[in-house]
Amino acid sequence: MVVFDKPKALTDAPLHYCPGCTHGIIHRLVAEAIDELGILGKTVGVAPVGCAVMAYDYFACDMVEAAHGRAPAVATGLKRAMPENVIFTYQGDGDLASIGMAETVHAATRNENITVIFVNNAIYGMTGGQMAPTSLPGQVTQTSPYGRDVKTVGYPIRVCEMLSALDGPELIQRVAVNNVKNVMAAKKAIKKAFQNQIDGKGFSLIEVVSSCPTNWGMTPSNALKWLEENMIPYYPLGVYKDRSAKEVK
Amino acid sequence: MSEKVLMKGNEAIAEAAIRAGCRHYFGYPITPQTELAAYMAKRMPKIGGTFLQAESEISAINMVYGVAGAGYRVMTSSSSPGVSLKQEGISYIAGADLPALIINVQRGGPGLGGIQPSQSDYFQATKGGGHGDYHLIVLAPASVQEMADLTAHAFDLADKYRMPTMILADGTMGQMMEPVSLPEETTSKVEKPWAVTGTNCEREHNIINSLYLVPEQLEKKNFERFEKYAKVEENEVMYEEYMMDDAEYCIVAFGIAARVSKNAITAARAKGIKVGMIRPITLWPFPKEAIAKAADKVKAFISVELSMGQMIEDIKLAEECRKPVVLCNRTGGMIPDPEQILKTIDTLIGGNN
Amino acid sequence: MAYTQVLIAGFGGQGILFAGKFLAYKGLLEGKEISWLPSYGPEMRGGTANCSVIISDTPVGSPIVSNPDILMVMNLPSLDKYENAAVAGSKVFVDSTLIERKLTRQDVSAYYIPATKLAQEAGIPTLANMIMIGKMIKETSIVSFDDITDGLKKVVSAKRAELLDLNLKALQMGYNYEG
């Protein structure tokens, strides 16, 4: 009996992520959603600049590598040219919420019919642990060595709360991958974000609160504990906007 | 060729693009190219195409990148400051070997500059513009007819060589109306097996990418790309020779500067001065051989430009400094008039005697 | 071989660009080489506006008219700016309702038409431009007055057919104006 099978939507390429990094889990959740919806052959993914930059090697669907922050614009082009295909972006916090904020907000307000997977680990991982737009107040990073001082660099951005203020988007939801229960919920949310696109409902963004043991300077298990105690209180999990659900009511 | 109609240059580009099979346009408002976007906004929804006013020039060029990756003909248009913003995306498009068309209806710079015509983005257009080793094919129309014809040609070249192409026009070319015979609708379909159209679970996945972390691989990729550029230089140079048979002085000018220069040539010849012109139509690849050949017989070159002198460097490189090259220019949105060109020629003659 | 350079200048809102466009289209219908170049930018919004029109038997070189063979001015700043730019022997058309002074030059032919007043009296206050053009055609034959409606049809939207007759009326008023 097969108890573990690699999703078809993942290639055989070995992942380059650090030990304890949650990108591997999130890749798998995305791949499982693609498999279960039977859309592998028509899916095109857009990889970011950041730790997931090489996602184009890991997902078995057609892939595009975008410039830093531009994935929603690239995805807009792909979707407008190929409305029958399924287009998703996979972006980190620096990519989506800092350099690419304009692209994010405008794709959302246009209700662009794409799926956005937003991995929030409160740090720039690829470049070695700099302060991110989602780094917590007081959080020590390479570029906030004395802790994030909100008086000089401002407060973290809560992306879901902000985007849910727009009339445009279909689904805005925050999940986490710190325990089995949350991973299951994340899986469900990601699948729904793809299903929404298939149903023509529009912009669906799933923020996945995740960890970065390497740059947080913690063991993987301590990182998950820190996530639970610090990240989730600042970034509460839940559905921030679900237009279809509202219509049902 | 169809019946002649009067059109603005900006509109001629838009209509020619549609006839070349372009169904996707992304832009951001900026003077003096607004008519182009307005034309697309009107036409695209009626023919099942995309017109999207993006949130920025940066987004617009990245939407272009997406459509190009999907294998469809696509364009964006802007003017100088907006084209600066697009440079990141253009570099990625070049680095991923994608065909796309970028229109620059130039205005004066640097900075916010002005809104009057200029040619001061010559360096940016012909030397790369963004980061990294790459070129665009750069076409410089000098009439509304060429705005249309070169747009169609630019799409063909982009597909043929899998590289971005640019129409480098200016505010005058964009705003003026002239009779134009619009090109016929393109019916030819270019196969693009590299496009990310979905694997259909029948092939390996395609990847549109410009990232090569192993330097040997990136170097190899760049070498290959420059082999392609060598073929472009060999096959795709375009220029017009005007009254060069007996010319003793050779004006080199493109776009609106070439139009003004024709008046100056007429006036000079009326005075018995033998002046001709080489008008580059492709700015990259630059018509080096034509310039080098002219250097064998003319006494001097005059580079007429709406800039502080940018193309003049390519002229000097092409003729290897065998003959003097003088600059006749205005900048900041001003245009040299035929009298200024005549004066420059007079000074040259005075200097030679 | 005719190569005629026309400069039309006035305030934004006087239909300067429209008048030039009409000339260009009429020339095109007569098989001439044509260029039309507007001033563009903030001028469109109430400042000065001008346009260069070249109608020729040979290909047009520069589309920029610096020294017009025909100058049409509809406000004083335009006359001040372009009077000396017109070539010797050129024909200058002045809206004398809006420009009180005469030309200072003697080497050009000046035509003074109270176009704005005539237009107001005729109940077509926005068509002084076309009265001026009518007179210009009469005195210069830059384009033919035959089939004049065909030219108008190219610039007047089919949706606003009533404007066709009014434009025609204005052109005829100018063409027949003796003064």
Side-chain angles (χ1 to χ4, degrees):
Chain A
M1 192 181 84
V2 177
V3 291
F4 181 86
D5 207 3
K6 190 178 64 61
K8 286 196 186 66
L10 288 178
T11 65
D12 293 328
L15 303 186
H16 71 281
Y17 298 111
C18 303
C21 172
T22 44
H23 268 305
I25 298 171
I26 303 165
H27 278 29
R28 187 179 168 95
L29 297 182
V30 170
E32 284 177 358
I34 292 170
D35 278 12
E36 289 170 20
L37 293 168
I39 52 172
L40 176 58
K42 62 174 182 177
T43 297
V44 180
V46 184
V49 172
C51 282
V53 68
M54 261 137 43
Y56 55 75
D57 277 338
Y58 307 145
F59 288 107
C61 56
D62 278 355
M63 293 293 293
V64 179
E65 169 52 35
H68 199 23
R70 316 300 173 219
V74 175
T76 296
L78 288 163
K79 188 68 183 181
R80 297 286 177 126
M82 307 183 298
E84 301 306 317
N85 287 62
V86 174
I87 314 294
F88 77 94
T89 74
Y90 187 104
Q91 303 173 258
D93 40 54
D95 191 89
L96 180 139
S98 189
I99 197 166
M101 184 58 104
E103 285 78 359
T104 304
V105 170
H106 285 269
T109 203
R110 287 194 302 266
N111 199 25
E112 207 64 57
N113 192 20
I114 59 173
T115 302
V116 175
I117 308 301
F118 166 37
V119 179
N120 176 7
N121 61 8
I123 203 142
Y124 284 80
M126 182 64 131
T127 42
Q130 293 81 19
M131 188 183 74
T134 52
S135 292
L136 296 180
Q139 188 178 336
V140 173
T141 72
Q142 194 188 67
T143 50
S144 58
Y146 311 109
R148 178 174 189 146
D149 179 0
V150 296
K151 283 206 287 287
T152 55
V153 301
Y155 288 86
I157 293 174
R158 293 186 177 100
V159 169
C160 287
E161 287 84 336
M162 191 180 78
L163 292 181
S164 62
L166 298 171
D167 290 340
E170 167 67 23
L171 174 68
I172 305 289
Q173 184 173 351
R174 184 181 289 128
V175 299
V177 286
N178 60 316
N179 58 42
V180 175
K181 181 172 152 275
N182 282 347
V183 168
M184 299 304 281
K187 162 87 186 284
K188 215 176 131 199
I190 288 170
K191 193 172 169 185
K192 181 174 177 181
F194 277 97
Q195 185 66 51
N196 280 350
Q197 184 178 166
I198 295 165
D199 297 342
K201 285 182 175 169
F203 187 88
S204 300
L205 177 144
I206 306 301
E207 174 175 344
V208 186
V209 177
S210 74
S211 64
C212 180
T214 301
N215 287 298
W216 290 0
M218 298 175 195
T219 63
S221 61
N222 282 346
L224 292 178
K225 195 159 168 273
W226 191 87
L227 183 160
E228 194 177 328
E229 290 170 0
N230 298 278
M231 292 278 284
I232 291 179
Y234 204 93
Y235 299 111
L237 308 186
V239 177
Y240 284 82
K241 189 180 184 87
D242 186 345
R243 224 171 26 188
S244 297
K246 215 181 248 172
E247 279 163 16
V248 172
K249 281 177 203 163
Chain B
M1 285 286 167
S2 53
E3 184 202 351
K4 283 199 172 186
V5 290
L6 266 188
M7 272 183 130
K8 278 195 168 191
N10 284 333
E11 295 166 342
I13 286 180
E15 181 58 33
I18 289 168
R19 288 174 184 230
C22 173
R23 289 294 178 277
H24 303 280
Y25 171 92
F26 305 92
Y28 186 87
I30 186 168
T31 305
Q33 62 79 54
T34 44
E35 294 83 1
L36 208 169
Y39 195 95
M40 291 300 199
K42 226 173 181 174
R43 288 276 279 129
M44 282 301 194
K46 305 230 160 143
I47 52 175
T50 304
F51 165 84
L52 187 58
Q53 182 171 318
E55 56 271 24
S56 68
E57 307 288 3
I58 298 167
S59 290
I61 192 68
N62 281 285
M63 291 170 185
V64 167
Y65 177 75
V67 174
Y72 293 84
R73 285 192 164 181
V74 58
M75 71 182 273
T76 183
S77 65
S78 190
S79 180
S80 307
V83 175
S84 288
L85 278 170
K86 289 187 198 293
Q87 292 303 328
E88 174 198 57
I90 295 172
S91 172
Y92 277 68
I93 290 169
D97 298 311
L98 295 179
L101 176 58
I102 301 107
I103 312 291
N104 183 356
V105 184
Q106 296 168 94
R107 54 187 258 185
L112 196 49
I115 60 168
Q116 298 304 323
S118 170
Q119 298 180 329
S120 53
D121 302 345
Y122 178 92
F123 282 152
Q124 184 195 57
T126 59
K127 310 299 175 190
H131 60 283
D133 284 322
Y134 74 92
H135 276 293
L136 312 173
I137 295 176
V138 183
L139 301 159
S143 64
V144 176
Q145 186 64 55
E146 281 190 350
M147 292 286 257
D149 294 345
L150 294 180
T151 295
H153 188 53
F155 276 114
D156 289 341
L157 288 174
D159 279 342
K160 182 174 175 188
Y161 293 101
R162 278 184 69 181
M163 62 187 288
T165 56
M166 176 178 275
I167 302 279
L168 192 68
D170 64 76
T172 321
M173 286 296 137
Q175 295 294 324
M176 71 187 282
M177 285 205 310
E178 284 185 318
V180 52
S181 297
L182 290 160
E184 299 294 333
E185 294 266 355
T186 312
T187 46
S188 68
K189 189 109 178 77
V190 183
E191 289 299 315
K192 297 178 177 175
W194 45 264
V196 287
T197 52
T199 62
N200 212 14
C201 300
E202 286 167 354
R203 57 161 169 79
E204 284 293 296
H205 67 162
N206 284 340
I207 301 172
I208 301 293
N209 181 34
S210 59
L211 178 68
Y212 297 89
L213 287 175
V214 180
E216 287 82 356
Q217 286 177 8
L218 180 54
E219 183 188 51
K220 184 166 167 277
K221 202 75 201 167
N222 285 342
F223 281 158
E224 285 168 8
R225 195 168 295 118
F226 271 71
E227 282 168 23
K228 173 170 84 182
Y229 292 160
K231 286 204 184 86
V232 174
E233 291 192 272
E234 196 181 311
N235 300 325
E236 307 299 345
V237 172
M238 292 170 73
Y239 59 92
E240 178 197 4
E241 285 199 348
Y242 184 72
M243 298 196 171
M244 280 300 293
D245 287 348
D246 61 346
E248 294 177 356
Y249 296 92
C250 176
I251 290 174
V252 185
F254 65 94
I256 182 63
R259 294 288 292 264
V260 177
S261 296
K262 281 194 178 173
N263 289 29
I265 291 167
T266 307
R269 288 205 168 245
K271 295 200 308 189
I273 308 167
K274 290 176 179 164
V275 185
M277 174 167 65
I278 294 174
R279 174 173 73 90
I281 297 172
T282 51
L283 297 178
W284 195 91
F286 192 70
K288 291 181 211 169
E289 281 178 28
I291 303 276
K293 241 175 73 190
D296 292 336
K297 55 180 194 179
V298 302
K299 292 179 181 163
F301 293 89
I302 304 112
S303 185
V304 182
E305 302 185 56
L306 277 65
S307 73
M308 288 307 292
Q310 300 191 11
M311 182 178 64
I312 191 170
E313 295 189 5
D314 285 334
I315 301 169
K316 286 178 180 173
L317 282 170
E319 57 104 38
E320 296 174 321
C321 299
R322 282 181 288 157
K323 297 287 164 65
V325 188
V326 298
L327 180 66
C328 175
N329 70 315
R330 296 295 297 270
T331 180
M334 300 301 290
I335 301 175
D337 56 24
E339 290 70 37
Q340 184 187 353
I341 300 169
L342 282 175
K343 251 181 232 161
T344 308
I345 295 167
D346 282 343
T347 312
L348 264 176
I349 294 170
N352 283 352
N353 289 347
Chain C
M1 297 297 256
Y3 190 99
T4 310
Q5 305 195 52
V6 186
L7 189 64
I8 305 176
F11 287 123
Q14 283 181 315
I16 298 295
L17 305 187
F18 178 88
K21 242 181 220 181
F22 164 74
L23 274 187
Y25 269 107
K26 186 68 173 80
L28 178 70
L29 290 173
E30 292 172 16
K32 300 282 176 53
E33 300 282 349
I34 297 296
S35 74
W36 173 92
L37 176 69
S39 58
Y40 63 87
E43 300 97 322
M44 291 191 298
R45 297 160 193 100
T48 59
N50 70 72
C51 77
S52 298
V53 179
I54 299 175
I55 300 184
S56 167
D57 294 322
T58 54
V60 176
S62 170
I64 302 154
V65 174
S66 311
N67 304 110
D69 304 303
I70 298 173
L71 173 65
M72 168 175 144
V73 287
M74 292 188 66
N75 66 3
L76 183 61
S78 297
L79 180 60
D80 291 345
K81 186 169 175 187
Y82 296 116
E83 179 176 354
N84 289 325
V87 301
S90 61
K91 295 183 172 172
V92 181
F93 298 84
V94 178
D95 184 335
S96 57
T97 311
L98 302 175
I99 303 169
E100 290 179 3
R101 80 168 173 87
K102 303 283 178 197
L103 268 65
T104 53
R105 287 174 65 173
Q106 305 300 322
D107 62 341
V108 300
S109 308
Y111 302 87
Y112 300 96
I113 309 102
T116 296
K117 182 162 158 275
L118 291 173
Q120 278 163 353
E121 285 168 2
I124 45 171
T126 57
L127 290 174
N129 58 337
M130 299 307 273
I131 294 176
M132 296 288 291
I133 292 285
K135 181 67 173 170
M136 181 198 293
I137 294 172
K138 174 74 174 287
E139 301 297 338
T140 65
S141 300
I142 179 165
V143 294
S144 164
F145 208 76
D146 296 342
D147 305 320
I148 200 83
T149 312
D150 294 346
L152 278 177
K153 278 184 183 160
K154 292 281 184 186
V155 283
V156 177
S157 162
K159 285 181 213 147
R160 307 198 60 189
E162 75 280 5
L163 289 180
L164 204 64
D165 291 340
L166 298 179
N167 274 278
L168 185 61
K169 181 178 168 186
L171 283 170
Q172 282 164 342
M173 279 172 64
Y175 193 79
N176 297 322
Y177 177 76
E178 301 289 341

